[in-house]
Amino acid sequence: MPTRRLLLATALATPTVAHAQGSDWPQRTIRLISPFPPGGAADLLARVLAEELSPVLRQSVVVENRTGAGGSVGTEAAVRATPDGYTLVMGSTGPISINPSLFRLSYDPARDLVPIAPLASVASVLVVHPAVPARNLGELMAMARARPGELSYGSSGIGSAQHLFMELLLQQTGLNINHIPYRGTGPAMVDTVGGRLTMMFDTTPTALPHIRDGRVRPLAVTAARRDPALPDVPTIAEAGVPGYEALGWYGLFAPAATPRPVIERVANEVNTLLGREEFRAKLASQGVEPMRASVEEFSRFVGEDRNRWGEVIRRGNIRPDG
């Protein structure tokens, strides 16, 4: 079973993560770096986690926003921190899996960070303007084949998850659809709603209000199984592209050389929280699906995800300057 599926399949299982014995950590406030601005999904998850970890660790866990460069600024701040267990960082698809293959970074996440535990994944949905005649993904692909290079899709920028999710679809189908990068998801959705773009991928929680109001039409979701919020919308694999799956994810990391007992202690506490229905409900309220895995399983997942998107970037000859 691939690691990606294993993480979701074991969401209710109890990982075998050893509890650190005899450690005097923590003795002071723990900093949790959120490498994205306040209000976004990664930041909200960091704050939910900090609130829950503080009482069980008996020390304050304080969220510090260090934003910029698609999450790389905050991630680098964690890499440069003393590896004593008092700095953690919220990792996600962009800065951990995508950016190393896209930018010249001053650090290497695979070398300079250690995965602790996953928290959640989030699927995206392919939406089109209601005037687009395609009622399903098969019809949309037929349109694209009949009009190569004429249809367009928007993203929040070159190398963004939205861009790469579509690039993966194009590589798997051989379609030619014109990419229009924007400075953020909001402007891309505005132009999709306005009919200036044919389509775009957006995370399900963000797209739902537009879908419910009829401003865009959903055709397929990127996860391996249907989204409970869109039960009538098939997966891309169901809709005619076997094996397609693309998820954003969030998880906890620490600087390399952080003591192993600290890593195991934090992983154990996070996985204990993920076993509590009320904590899972908190995550679900943010529109994400809780993930749960051991340190080893999460490490394998991160490595596979980084390799996968690195290959998509190389095959597509994607460069940040376009």
Side-chain angles (χ1 to χ4, degrees), residues 11-204:
L12 297 178
T14 301
T16 56
V17 180
H19 194 293
Q21 300 293 332
S23 172
D24 59 358
W25 180 91
Q27 295 294 311
R28 55 185 171 84
T29 297
I30 299 161
R31 177 177 62 152
L32 173 53
I33 295 176
S34 172
F36 292 100
D43 184 67
L44 290 172
L45 287 175
R47 295 181 186 280
V48 168
L49 183 62
E51 179 184 1
E52 296 289 342
L53 280 180
S54 293
V56 298
L57 294 177
R58 299 183 180 181
Q59 291 290 341
S60 296
V61 180
V62 178
V63 175
E64 177 183 316
N65 293 97
R66 297 286 296 272
T67 64
S72 294
V73 170
T75 304
E76 182 176 4
V79 165
R80 305 304 176 203
T82 302
D84 55 7
Y86 292 97
T87 298
L88 306 174
V89 62
M90 181 64 68
S92 59
T93 316
I96 302 297
S97 295
I98 294 174
N99 291 0
S101 295
L102 196 63
F103 303 106
R104 289 186 176 180
L105 302 177
S106 61
Y107 64 92
D108 179 359
R111 179 194 64 214
D112 299 328
L113 291 172
V114 56
I116 300 175
L119 284 171
S121 66
V122 59
S124 291
V125 57
L126 179 62
V127 298
V128 297
H129 185 269
V132 174
R135 309 299 297 186
N136 54 57
L137 181 60
E139 292 179 0
L140 184 68
M141 291 194 296
M143 283 181 58
R145 290 191 179 98
R147 300 160 54 188
E150 293 184 25
L151 305 188
S152 61
Y153 74 94
S155 79
S156 57
I158 294 172
S160 64
Q162 295 166 322
H163 177 199
L164 296 187
F165 286 10
M166 181 62 79
E167 180 64 27
L168 177 63
L169 181 63
L170 300 184
Q171 290 181 12
Q172 290 187 345
T173 59
L175 297 175
N176 180 5
I177 300 175
N178 191 29
H179 177 216
I180 309 295
Y182 288 76
R183 292 183 179 274
T185 302
M189 180 58 80
V190 167
D191 276 4
T192 304
V193 169
R196 289 175 287 278
L197 290 172
T198 311
M199 69 194 86
M200 69 174 289
F201 277 115
D202 199 0
T203 60
T204 303

Side-chain angles (χ1 to χ4, degrees), residues 265-287:
R265 170 77 186 280
V266 176
N268 186 68
E269 299 295 359
V270 170
N271 279 295
T272 298
L273 289 173
L274 284 163
R276 290 170 36 198
E277 186 56 41
E278 59 269 31
F279 182 68
R280 295 172 63 82
K282 277 189 178 182
L283 297 189
S285 71
Q286 304 298 328

